[in-house]
Coordinates of all heavy atoms in Angstrom, one line a residue:
M285 N 10.6 -89.5 27.8 CA 10.0 -88.4 27.0 C 8.5 -88.9 26.7 O 8.2 -90.0 26.3 CB 10.8 -88.3 25.7 CG 12.1 -87.8 25.9 SD 12.8 -87.2 24.3 CE 14.4 -86.9 24.8
G286 N 7.7 -87.9 26.9 CA 6.2 -88.3 26.8 C 5.7 -88.1 25.4 O 6.5 -87.8 24.5
P287 N 4.5 -88.4 25.3 CA 3.9 -88.3 23.9 C 3.9 -87.0 23.4 O 3.8 -86.0 24.1 CB 2.4 -88.8 24.1 CG 2.2 -89.0 25.6 CD 3.5 -88.8 26.3
G288 N 4.1 -86.9 22.1 CA 4.2 -85.5 21.5 C 5.5 -84.9 21.6 O 5.6 -83.6 21.1
F289 N 6.4 -85.4 22.1 CA 7.8 -84.8 22.2 C 8.8 -85.5 21.4 O 9.2 -86.6 21.6 CB 8.2 -84.7 23.8 CG 9.5 -83.9 23.8 CD1 9.5 -82.5 23.9 CD2 10.8 -84.5 23.9 CE1 10.7 -81.8 24.1 CE2 12.0 -83.8 24.1 CZ 11.8 -82.4 24.2
G290 N 9.3 -84.8 20.3 CA 10.3 -85.5 19.5 C 9.8 -86.2 18.3 O 10.5 -86.8 17.6
Y291 N 8.6 -86.4 18.1 CA 8.1 -87.2 17.0 C 6.7 -86.5 16.5 O 6.1 -85.8 17.2 CB 7.8 -88.6 17.3 CG 6.8 -88.9 18.3 CD1 5.4 -89.1 17.8 CD2 7.0 -88.9 19.7 CE1 4.4 -89.5 18.7 CE2 5.9 -89.1 20.5 CZ 4.6 -89.4 20.1 OH 3.7 -89.6 20.9
I292 N 6.4 -86.8 15.2 CA 5.2 -86.2 14.8 C 4.0 -87.1 15.2 O 3.9 -88.2 15.1 CB 5.2 -86.2 13.3 CG1 6.5 -85.3 12.7 CG2 3.9 -85.7 12.6 CD1 6.6 -85.3 11.2
G293 N 3.0 -86.4 15.8 CA 1.9 -87.2 16.4 C 1.6 -86.7 17.7 O 2.3 -85.8 18.3
G294 N 0.6 -87.0 18.3 CA 0.3 -86.7 19.7 C -0.1 -85.2 19.7 O -1.1 -84.8 19.2
C295 N 0.7 -84.4 20.3 CA 0.4 -82.9 20.4 C 1.1 -82.0 19.3 O 1.0 -80.9 19.3 CB 1.1 -82.5 21.7 SG 0.4 -83.2 23.2
G296 N 1.5 -82.8 18.3 CA 2.0 -82.0 17.1 C 3.5 -82.2 16.9 O 4.1 -83.2 17.5
I297 N 4.1 -81.3 16.1 CA 5.5 -81.5 15.9 C 6.3 -81.0 17.1 O 6.6 -79.8 17.3 CB 6.0 -80.7 14.6 CG1 5.1 -81.0 13.4 CG2 7.4 -80.9 14.4 CD1 5.4 -80.2 12.2
G298 N 6.9 -82.0 18.0 CA 7.6 -81.6 19.2 C 6.9 -80.9 20.3 O 7.4 -80.2 21.1
G299 N 5.5 -81.1 20.2 CA 4.8 -80.4 21.3 C 4.7 -79.0 21.1 O 4.7 -78.4 20.0
G300 N 4.5 -78.2 22.2 CA 4.3 -76.7 22.0 C 5.4 -75.9 21.4 O 5.3 -75.0 20.7
F301 N 6.7 -76.4 21.8 CA 7.9 -75.7 21.3 C 7.9 -75.8 19.8 O 8.3 -74.9 19.1 CB 9.1 -76.4 22.0 CG 10.3 -75.7 21.3 CD1 10.7 -74.5 21.9 CD2 11.2 -76.3 20.5 CE1 11.9 -73.9 21.4 CE2 12.3 -75.8 20.0 CZ 12.6 -74.5 20.5
G302 N 7.7 -77.0 19.2 CA 7.7 -77.1 17.8 C 6.6 -76.2 17.0 O 7.0 -75.6 16.1
M303 N 5.6 -76.1 17.6 CA 4.5 -75.2 17.0 C 4.9 -73.7 17.1 O 4.8 -72.8 16.3 CB 3.2 -75.3 17.6 CG 2.6 -76.8 17.3 SD 2.4 -77.2 15.6 CE 1.2 -76.2 15.1
M304 N 5.5 -73.4 18.3 CA 6.0 -72.0 18.5 C 7.2 -71.6 17.5 O 7.2 -70.6 16.8 CB 6.5 -71.8 19.9 CG 6.9 -70.4 20.2 SD 7.4 -70.1 21.8 CE 8.9 -71.0 22.0
F305 N 8.1 -72.6 17.3 CA 9.2 -72.5 16.3 C 8.7 -72.2 14.9 O 9.1 -71.4 14.2 CB 10.0 -73.7 16.4 CG 11.4 -73.5 15.6 CD1 12.3 -72.6 16.0 CD2 11.5 -74.3 14.6 CE1 13.4 -72.5 15.2 CE2 12.6 -74.2 13.8 CZ 13.6 -73.3 14.1
L306 N 7.7 -73.1 14.5 CA 7.0 -72.9 13.2 C 6.3 -71.6 13.0 O 6.4 -71.0 12.0 CB 6.0 -74.1 13.0 CG 5.3 -74.2 11.6 CD1 6.4 -74.4 10.5 CD2 4.3 -75.2 11.6
G307 N 5.7 -71.1 14.0 CA 5.0 -69.8 14.0 C 6.1 -68.8 13.8 O 5.8 -67.8 13.0
L308 N 7.2 -68.8 14.6 CA 8.2 -67.7 14.3 C 8.8 -67.8 13.0 O 9.1 -66.7 12.4 CB 9.3 -68.0 15.4 CG 8.9 -67.7 16.9 CD1 10.0 -68.1 17.8 CD2 8.5 -66.2 17.1
I309 N 9.0 -69.0 12.4 CA 9.5 -69.0 11.2 C 8.5 -68.4 10.0 O 9.0 -67.5 9.2 CB 9.8 -70.5 10.6 CG1 11.0 -71.1 11.5 CG2 10.0 -70.7 9.1 CD1 11.3 -72.4 11.2
I310 N 7.3 -68.7 10.2 CA 6.2 -68.0 9.2 C 6.3 -66.5 9.5 O 6.3 -65.8 8.4 CB 4.9 -68.7 9.6 CG1 4.9 -70.1 9.1 CG2 3.8 -67.9 8.8 CD1 3.6 -70.9 9.5
I311 N 6.3 -66.1 10.7 CA 6.1 -64.6 10.9 C 7.5 -63.9 10.4 O 7.4 -62.9 9.7 CB 6.1 -64.3 12.4 CG1 4.7 -64.7 12.9 CG2 6.4 -62.7 12.7 CD1 4.5 -64.6 14.5
G312 N 8.7 -64.6 10.5 CA 10.0 -64.1 9.9 C 9.9 -64.0 8.4 O 10.3 -63.1 7.8
L313 N 9.3 -65.1 7.8 CA 9.2 -65.0 6.4 C 8.2 -63.9 5.8 O 8.6 -63.2 4.8 CB 8.7 -66.5 5.8 CG 9.8 -67.5 5.9 CD1 9.0 -68.9 5.5 CD2 10.9 -67.2 5.0
I314 N 7.2 -63.7 6.6 CA 6.2 -62.6 6.2 C 6.9 -61.3 6.2 O 6.9 -60.5 5.3 CB 4.9 -62.6 7.1 CG1 4.2 -63.8 6.7 CG2 4.1 -61.4 6.9 CD1 3.0 -64.1 7.8
I315 N 7.7 -61.1 7.4 CA 8.4 -59.8 7.5 C 9.4 -59.6 6.4 O 9.6 -58.5 5.8 CB 9.0 -59.8 9.0 CG1 7.9 -59.6 10.0 CG2 10.0 -58.6 9.1 CD1 8.4 -59.6 11.5
Y316 N 10.2 -60.7 6.1 CA 11.2 -60.7 5.1 C 10.6 -60.2 3.7 O 11.2 -59.3 3.0 CB 11.8 -62.1 5.0 CG 12.7 -62.3 3.8 CD1 14.0 -61.5 3.8 CD2 12.3 -62.8 2.6 CE1 14.8 -61.7 2.7 CE2 13.2 -63.1 1.5 CZ 14.4 -62.3 1.6 OH 15.2 -62.5 0.4
F317 N 9.5 -60.8 3.4 CA 8.9 -60.5 2.0 C 8.3 -59.1 2.1 O 8.3 -58.4 1.0 CB 7.8 -61.6 1.6 CG 8.5 -62.9 1.2 CD1 8.3 -64.0 2.0 CD2 9.2 -62.9 0.1 CE1 8.8 -65.2 1.5 CE2 9.9 -64.1 -0.3 CZ 9.7 -65.2 0.4
I318 N 7.8 -58.6 3.2 CA 7.3 -57.3 3.2 C 8.5 -56.3 2.9 O 8.5 -55.4 2.3 CB 6.6 -57.0 4.5 CG1 5.2 -57.7 4.5 CG2 6.3 -55.5 4.8 CD1 4.5 -57.7 5.9
V319 N 9.5 -56.5 3.8 CA 10.7 -55.6 3.6 C 11.4 -55.6 2.3 O 11.6 -54.6 1.6 CB 11.8 -55.9 4.7 CG1 13.1 -55.2 4.6 CG2 11.2 -55.6 6.2
K320 N 11.5 -56.9 1.7 CA 12.0 -57.0 0.4 C 11.2 -56.2 -0.6 O 11.7 -55.6 -1.6 CB 12.1 -58.4 0.1 CG 12.8 -58.7 -1.2 CD 13.0 -60.3 -1.5 CE 13.6 -60.5 -2.9 NZ 13.7 -61.8 -3.2
G321 N 9.8 -56.3 -0.6 CA 8.9 -55.7 -1.5 C 9.0 -54.2 -1.4 O 9.1 -53.5 -2.5
Q322 N 9.3 -53.6 -0.2 CA 9.5 -52.2 0.0 C 10.7 -51.8 -0.5 O 10.8 -50.7 -1.3 CB 9.3 -51.9 1.5 CG 8.0 -51.9 2.0 CD 7.8 -51.7 3.5 OE1 8.8 -51.5 4.2 NE2 6.6 -51.5 3.9
N323 N 11.8 -52.5 -0.4 CA 13.1 -52.2 -1.1 C 13.0 -52.2 -2.5 O 13.5 -51.3 -3.1 CB 14.1 -53.1 -0.5 CG 14.6 -52.9 0.9 OD1 14.3 -51.8 1.5 ND2 15.2 -53.8 1.5
N324 N 12.3 -53.1 -3.2 CA 12.2 -53.1 -4.6 C 11.4 -51.9 -5.1 O 11.8 -51.4 -6.1 CB 11.7 -54.4 -5.0 CG 12.5 -55.6 -4.9 OD1 13.7 -55.5 -4.8 ND2 11.9 -56.7 -4.9
H325 N 10.4 -51.6 -4.3 CA 9.6 -50.4 -4.7 C 10.5 -49.1 -4.7 O 10.5 -48.3 -5.6 CB 8.4 -50.1 -3.8 CG 7.6 -49.1 -4.1 ND1 6.9 -48.9 -5.3 CD2 7.5 -47.9 -3.4 CE1 6.4 -47.7 -5.2 NE2 6.7 -47.1 -4.1
H326 N 11.3 -48.9 -3.6 CA 12.0 -47.8 -3.5 C 13.2 -47.7 -4.5 O 13.6 -46.6 -5.0 CB 12.8 -47.7 -2.1 CG 11.8 -47.5 -1.0 ND1 11.0 -46.3 -1.0 CD2 11.4 -48.1 0.1 CE1 10.2 -46.3 0.1 NE2 10.4 -47.4 0.7
Q327 N 13.8 -48.8 -4.9 CA 14.9 -48.9 -6.0 C 14.2 -48.5 -7.3 O 14.8 -47.8 -8.0 CB 15.4 -50.3 -6.0 CG 16.3 -50.7 -4.9 CD 16.7 -52.0 -4.9 OE1 16.3 -52.8 -5.7 NE2 17.6 -52.5 -3.9
Y328 N 13.0 -49.0 -7.6 CA 12.3 -48.5 -8.8 C 12.0 -47.0 -8.8 O 12.3 -46.4 -9.8 CB 10.9 -49.3 -9.0 CG 10.2 -48.9 -10.1 CD1 10.6 -49.3 -11.4 CD2 9.2 -48.1 -10.0 CE1 9.8 -48.9 -12.5 CE2 8.2 -47.6 -11.1 CZ 8.7 -47.9 -12.4 OH 8.0 -47.6 -13.4
V329 N 11.5 -46.5 -7.8 CA 11.2 -45.1 -7.6 C 12.5 -44.2 -7.8 O 12.5 -43.3 -8.6 CB 10.6 -44.7 -6.4 CG1 10.4 -43.3 -6.2 CG2 9.1 -45.3 -6.4
Q330 N 13.6 -44.7 -7.2 CA 14.9 -43.9 -7.3 C 15.5 -44.0 -8.8 O 16.0 -43.1 -9.2 CB 15.9 -44.5 -6.4 CG 15.6 -44.2 -4.8 CD 16.4 -44.8 -3.8 OE1 17.3 -45.6 -4.2 NE2 16.3 -44.5 -2.6
K331 N 15.3 -45.2 -9.4 CA 15.8 -45.3 -10.6 C 15.1 -44.4 -11.8 O 15.6 -44.0 -12.8 CB 15.9 -46.7 -11.3 CG 16.9 -47.6 -10.5 CD 16.7 -49.0 -11.0 CE 17.7 -49.9 -10.2 NZ 17.7 -51.4 -10.6
S332 N 13.7 -44.1 -11.5 CA 13.0 -43.5 -12.4 C 13.0 -42.0 -12.3 O 12.4 -41.3 -13.1 CB 11.5 -43.9 -12.4 OG 11.0 -43.5 -11.0
V333 N 13.6 -41.4 -11.3 CA 13.7 -40.0 -11.1 C 14.9 -39.2 -10.9 O 15.0 -38.0 -10.7 CB 12.8 -39.6 -9.8 CG1 12.5 -38.2 -9.6 CG2 11.4 -40.4 -9.8
P334 N 16.1 -39.9 -11.1 CA 17.4 -39.1 -10.7 C 17.6 -38.0 -11.6 O 18.1 -37.0 -11.2 CB 18.4 -40.3 -11.0 CG 17.8 -41.2 -11.9 CD 16.4 -41.2 -11.7
N335 N 17.2 -37.9 -12.9 CA 17.5 -36.8 -13.8 C 16.8 -35.6 -13.3 O 17.4 -34.5 -13.3 CB 17.0 -37.1 -15.2 CG 18.0 -38.1 -15.9 OD1 19.1 -38.4 -15.4 ND2 17.7 -38.6 -17.0
S336 N 15.4 -35.6 -13.0 CA 14.8 -34.5 -12.5 C 15.3 -33.9 -11.2 O 15.5 -32.7 -11.0 CB 13.3 -34.8 -12.4 OG 13.1 -35.6 -11.3
E337 N 15.7 -34.8 -10.4 CA 16.4 -34.4 -9.1 C 17.8 -33.7 -9.3 O 18.1 -32.6 -8.8 CB 16.6 -35.6 -8.1 CG 17.1 -35.2 -6.8 CD 17.2 -36.3 -5.9 OE1 16.2 -37.2 -6.0 OE2 18.1 -36.4 -5.1
A338 N 18.6 -34.2 -10.4 CA 19.8 -33.6 -10.6 C 19.7 -32.2 -11.4 O 20.3 -31.3 -11.2 CB 20.6 -34.5 -11.5
L339 N 18.6 -32.2 -12.2 CA 18.3 -31.0 -12.8 C 17.8 -29.9 -11.8 O 18.2 -28.7 -11.9 CB 17.2 -31.1 -13.8 CG 16.8 -29.9 -14.9 CD1 18.3 -29.7 -15.6 CD2 15.8 -30.4 -15.8
E340 N 17.2 -30.2 -10.7 CA 16.8 -29.2 -9.7 C 18.1 -28.8 -9.0 O 18.2 -27.6 -8.6 CB 15.8 -29.9 -8.7 CG 14.4 -30.0 -9.3 CD 13.8 -28.8 -9.6 OE1 13.9 -27.8 -8.8 OE2 13.2 -28.7 -10.7
I341 N 19.0 -29.7 -8.7 CA 20.2 -29.2 -8.0 C 21.0 -28.3 -8.9 O 21.5 -27.3 -8.4 CB 21.0 -30.6 -7.7 CG1 20.2 -31.3 -6.6 CG2 22.5 -30.1 -7.2 CD1 20.9 -32.7 -6.4
A342 N 21.0 -28.5 -10.2 CA 21.7 -27.7 -11.1 C 21.0 -26.3 -11.2 O 21.7 -25.3 -11.2 CB 21.8 -28.2 -12.5
K343 N 19.7 -26.2 -11.2 CA 19.0 -24.9 -11.0 C 19.4 -24.2 -9.8 O 19.6 -23.0 -9.9 CB 17.5 -25.2 -11.1 CG 17.0 -25.6 -12.5 CD 15.5 -25.8 -12.4 CE 14.9 -26.3 -13.8 NZ 13.4 -26.6 -13.7
I344 N 19.3 -24.8 -8.7 CA 19.7 -24.1 -7.4 C 21.1 -23.7 -7.5 O 21.4 -22.6 -7.0 CB 19.5 -25.2 -6.3 CG1 18.0 -25.5 -6.1 CG2 20.0 -24.6 -5.0 CD1 17.7 -26.6 -5.2
R345 N 22.1 -24.4 -8.0 CA 23.5 -24.1 -8.1 C 23.5 -22.8 -9.0 O 24.4 -21.9 -8.8 CB 24.3 -25.1 -8.6 CG 24.5 -26.3 -7.6 CD 25.4 -27.3 -8.1 NE 26.8 -26.8 -8.3 CZ 27.7 -27.3 -9.0 NH1 27.5 -28.5 -9.6 NH2 28.9 -26.8 -9.1
L346 N 22.8 -22.8 -10.1 CA 22.8 -21.6 -11.1 C 22.2 -20.4 -10.3 O 22.8 -19.3 -10.4 CB 22.0 -22.0 -12.4 CG 21.8 -20.8 -13.3 CD1 23.3 -20.5 -13.9 CD2 20.9 -21.1 -14.4
A347 N 21.1 -20.6 -9.6 CA 20.6 -19.4 -8.9 C 21.6 -18.9 -7.8 O 21.5 -17.7 -7.6 CB 19.3 -19.9 -8.2
K348 N 22.4 -19.8 -7.2 CA 23.2 -19.4 -6.2 C 24.5 -18.8 -6.8 O 25.4 -18.2 -6.2 CB 23.7 -20.4 -5.3 CG 22.6 -20.9 -4.4 CD 23.2 -22.0 -3.6 CE 22.1 -22.5 -2.5 NZ 22.7 -23.7 -1.6
G349 N 24.6 -18.9 -8.1 CA 25.9 -18.4 -8.8 C 27.1 -19.3 -8.7 O 28.2 -18.9 -9.0
E350 N 26.9 -20.5 -8.4 CA 28.0 -21.6 -8.2 C 28.3 -22.0 -9.6 O 29.6 -22.4 -9.7 CB 27.6 -22.7 -7.3 CG 27.3 -22.4 -6.0 CD 26.7 -23.5 -5.1 OE1 26.7 -24.7 -5.7 OE2 26.5 -23.4 -3.9
I351 N 27.5 -21.9 -10.5 CA 27.9 -22.3 -11.9 C 27.4 -21.3 -12.9 O 26.6 -20.6 -12.6 CB 27.3 -23.8 -12.3 CG1 25.7 -23.7 -12.2 CG2 27.8 -24.9 -11.4 CD1 25.0 -25.0 -12.7
T352 N 28.0 -21.3 -14.1 CA 27.4 -20.3 -15.2 C 26.4 -21.0 -15.9 O 26.0 -22.1 -15.9 CB 28.7 -20.1 -16.1 OG1 29.1 -21.2 -16.8 CG2 29.9 -19.5 -15.3
T353 N 25.8 -20.0 -16.8 CA 24.7 -20.5 -17.5 C 25.2 -21.5 -18.5 O 24.3 -22.4 -18.9 CB 24.1 -19.1 -18.4 OG1 23.9 -18.1 -17.5 CG2 22.8 -19.5 -19.2
E354 N 26.3 -21.3 -19.1 CA 26.9 -22.4 -20.0 C 27.0 -23.8 -19.4 O 26.7 -24.7 -20.0 CB 28.3 -21.9 -20.6 CG 28.1 -20.7 -21.5 CD 28.2 -19.4 -20.7 OE1 28.6 -19.4 -19.5 OE2 27.6 -18.4 -21.3
E355 N 27.5 -23.7 -18.2 CA 27.6 -25.0 -17.4 C 26.3 -25.6 -17.0 O 26.0 -26.8 -17.3 CB 28.4 -24.7 -16.1 CG 29.9 -24.4 -16.2 CD 30.5 -24.0 -14.9 OE1 29.9 -23.4 -14.1 OE2 31.7 -24.4 -14.8
Y356 N 25.4 -24.8 -16.8 CA 24.0 -25.3 -16.5 C 23.4 -25.9 -17.8 O 22.8 -26.9 -17.8 CB 23.1 -24.0 -16.0 CG 21.6 -24.5 -16.0 CD1 21.1 -25.3 -14.9 CD2 20.6 -24.2 -17.0 CE1 19.8 -25.8 -15.0 CE2 19.4 -24.5 -17.0 CZ 18.9 -25.3 -15.9 OH 17.6 -25.7 -15.9
E357 N 23.6 -25.3 -19.0 CA 23.1 -25.8 -20.3 C 23.7 -27.1 -20.6 O 23.0 -28.1 -21.0 CB 23.2 -24.7 -21.4 CG 22.4 -23.5 -21.3 CD 20.9 -23.9 -21.3 OE1 20.5 -24.8 -22.0 OE2 20.2 -23.2 -20.6
N358 N 25.0 -27.2 -20.2 CA 25.7 -28.5 -20.5 C 25.2 -29.7 -19.7 O 24.9 -30.8 -20.1 CB 27.2 -28.4 -20.3 CG 27.9 -27.7 -21.4 OD1 27.4 -27.5 -22.6 ND2 29.0 -27.0 -21.1
I359 N 24.9 -29.4 -18.4 CA 24.3 -30.3 -17.4 C 23.0 -30.6 -18.0 O 22.6 -31.9 -17.9 CB 24.2 -29.7 -16.0 CG1 25.7 -29.5 -15.5 CG2 23.5 -30.5 -15.1 CD1 25.7 -28.8 -14.2
R360 N 22.1 -29.6 -18.3 CA 20.8 -30.0 -18.7 C 20.8 -30.9 -20.0 O 20.0 -31.8 -20.1 CB 20.0 -28.7 -19.0 CG 18.6 -28.9 -19.3 CD 17.9 -27.5 -19.4 NE 18.2 -26.8 -20.6 CZ 17.7 -27.0 -21.8 NH1 17.0 -28.0 -22.0 NH2 18.2 -26.3 -23.0
K361 N 21.7 -30.6 -21.0 CA 21.8 -31.4 -22.2 C 22.2 -32.9 -21.9 O 21.7 -33.8 -22.4 CB 22.7 -30.8 -23.2 CG 22.3 -29.5 -23.8 CD 23.3 -29.0 -24.8 CE 22.9 -27.6 -25.3 NZ 24.0 -26.9 -26.2
N362 N 23.1 -33.0 -20.9 CA 23.5 -34.4 -20.6 C 22.5 -35.2 -19.8 O 22.2 -36.4 -20.0 CB 24.7 -34.2 -19.7 CG 26.0 -33.9 -20.4 OD1 26.1 -34.0 -21.6 ND2 26.9 -33.1 -19.8
L363 N 21.7 -34.4 -19.1 CA 20.6 -35.1 -18.3 C 19.3 -35.5 -19.2 O 18.7 -36.4 -19.0 CB 20.2 -34.3 -17.1 CG 21.2 -34.1 -16.0 CD1 20.7 -33.2 -15.0 CD2 21.5 -35.6 -15.5
L364 N 19.0 -34.7 -20.2 CA 17.9 -34.9 -21.0 C 18.3 -35.5 -22.2 O 18.2 -36.5 -22.6 CB 17.2 -33.5 -21.2 CG 16.8 -32.6 -20.1 CD1 16.2 -31.4 -20.5 CD2 15.7 -33.4 -19.3

């Protein structure tokens, strides 16, 4: 085994393969944190808007005649 292969020094950590492996780990961590950040953002948005979405569904059901006005009022009171 030549210089830079299997020890720290010479051409780096394990030669070119070690540097490539380290680069892949860094890229993987960056992608992981970007995806995790987007998921947290979507969870926050979904938690802050469900009542208005449910109220819109109730309005549509009332317009279609699937529920009565009394049922709509009960749903609205429960959501607000």
Side-chain angles (χ1 to χ4, degrees):
M285 298 196 186
F289 187 78
Y291 69 93
I292 298 174
C295 294
I297 303 172
F301 177 75
M303 294 306 288
M304 183 177 69
F305 185 70
L306 182 63
L308 290 174
I309 289 175
I310 291 172
I311 291 171
L313 287 172
I314 291 170
I315 292 171
Y316 169 77
F317 285 116
I318 289 172
V319 170
K320 184 177 177 183
Q322 289 177 348
N323 286 343
N324 288 340
H325 175 71
H326 290 300
Q327 289 172 356
Y328 173 74
V329 170
Q330 288 174 355
K331 287 180 184 176
S332 64
V333 188
N335 287 348
S336 64
E337 189 174 320
L339 192 56
E340 287 298 317
I341 292 170
K343 285 180 186 179
I344 293 170
R345 291 182 65 201
L346 177 64
K348 289 181 178 180
E350 295 176 359
I351 59 174
T352 64
T353 307
E354 293 82 22
E355 290 172 322
Y356 171 76
E357 289 299 323
N358 285 334
I359 292 170
R360 192 176 65 81
K361 287 178 188 176
N362 288 333
L363 292 174
L364 300 175

